[in-house]
Amino acid sequence: MPQQPGRGFIWIAIAIIGFAALSAFIGPRQQVPEVIAISEVATLVQEGQVKEVVVTNDTELAITKQDDTKLRSTLRTGDDLKDFGITPDKTSIKVEYSTSSAAWASILGNLLVPIIILAVIFAMFRSSQNQNQRAMGFGQARAKLANFSKIRFADVAGQREAKQELMEEVDFLRDPAKFRALGAEIPKGVLLVGPPGTGKTLLAKAVAGEAGVPFFTISASEFVEMFVGVGASRVRDLFAKAKKASPCIIFIDELDAIGRQRGAGLGGGHDEREQTLNQILVEMDGFETDGGVIVMAATNRPDVLDPALLRPGRFDRRVVVDLPTRDERIEVLQVYTKGKPLAKDVDLAGVANQTAGMSPADLKNIMNEAAIFAARKGEKQITQATLHEAAEKVLVGPERPSRVLSDQEKKVTAVHEAGHAIVGHVLPHTDDVHKVSIISRGNALGLTWSLPKEDRHLIGKAKFEDELCMLLGGRLAEMAVFDEATTGASNDLERVTKLARRMVTEYGMSDTLGLRTYGEREHEIFLGRSMGESRDYSEDRAQVIDSEVDQIVKRAETRTKELLTMYRPALDKLTDLLLERETVTGEELTRILEETTGIIKEPVTV
Ligand code: ZN
């Protein structure tokens, strides 16, 4: 939970500043005169050096010398100035009985320290009292009332379907009476389901904004505190506040933080979560739709939610907030270009093509990176080249030209990437190669970057098989040229293994094993990660799975080797070009293939 800076510190700071100001005020006037013995004063007076002596309170002497330096001295009570030969004919003597302003200042100065100490003690007392109050107020919801959000549907790029579905809630919140008159029941709970960064919170705010109702928002993780029972009382408090403000929206972010299946956690300490969850269920059942309160919640893991949450009358309405499609990505990019001067050559559609599978948050990040790049280059506008650079950085990590490769390493990397690129480019079902590079990025030494022409939702077996070949292309090219294996292919091989295994166990793409899945992936409830799978097949089948996976990989290997032999001239030419220029585009790759083999493939249009 975010800690407010302690009040005590503020008080102490005020006290210190006050002290500094006061001493600055007093300081110059006092000038701290030197204190001398009364006998010395007598000598000075005899010598005629003293202009004036002011006597205050019978005993305090303020002496002003002829040169205007000030001195102080004290008379013992009962003594007389005359006893020391200080007489009006030698110097001017003034006697003041009232306390002077200087005396006031000195009194104030003396009082200041105790006053500060008192202030500090008071402040500490106050702040500890506040902490006590805070501890007592733990049960109160930390919901922020974002008074009437200003966000409208128009501010949310893309998400046409989600907006359409949510329009119903907006209508209800605008005029609940109209629906009630017809006996219509409006769902109380709306679950926004989608990957992170897709703008679920923004959508919920837009619903509130469109309907013009208050918007209570809380993150589910804030319900759970260290004290047992706090979460549940926070839920009670939140719903009570919301009912008073109805019609309104309660938005619970990260619902899966508390909404996971009950009784399934590892270890203890889950009573709190369960109590909180139960309280949410109780509250949702308790309020009538008349109340005009709609609970919206966001999650990216609907599969781990407790089924009780999804029962009718609770979160029975699901709105999918998906990753944007190509057209929606253009829209999103347009939103984030606001306030950023774009060069004439900028083609947002091209960027959208490049960014399949990216969330609006990623796209925002790209636009921002592009602006930063442009500023660093000292450009006045964002050019298409800068945008591409930014997209690449967000997609695959920044270039690391500082990582120096030896000539041999460079050669191996070039051959490896050329292998991926050639195989990827000539196979019919793989995505077109957009760019090949041997500049280090992130952890990778080189990169072959292919782009899908459109967003895919169904993938055929042939595409998987081609993809396996492309992944193997790197290592097998190294073997063909150098006849030596390197560590550079470990990530490729891992992906090959996973993909082949999924073809067999998840997608039913093996004739021997038939149309079924193998292994139930368990969602580990507590950590929210799938930690393994429970085996729902026999030991014999496990062996068959392994041999099927092996066969798929073997077939891909044979095919790739054949391709690499067939296109060896192109492989060598691409390798040379990579060594010379470090980066080769898809068009150039097409040209190389044309020149060496006469094969023509549609040029890459990005
Ligand atoms: Zn590779």
Side-chain angles (χ1 to χ4, degrees), residues 416-417 420 488 492:
H416 181 102
E417 295 306 326
H420 281 311
D492 297 337

Side-chain angles (χ1 to χ4, degrees), residues 205-231:
K205 276 187 189 160
V207 171
E210 288 281 339
V213 298
F215 180 79
F216 293 87
T217 171
I218 191 162
S219 173
S221 53
E222 284 175 53
F223 280 130
V224 186
E225 288 277 352
M226 51 192 162
F227 298 132
V228 175
V230 168

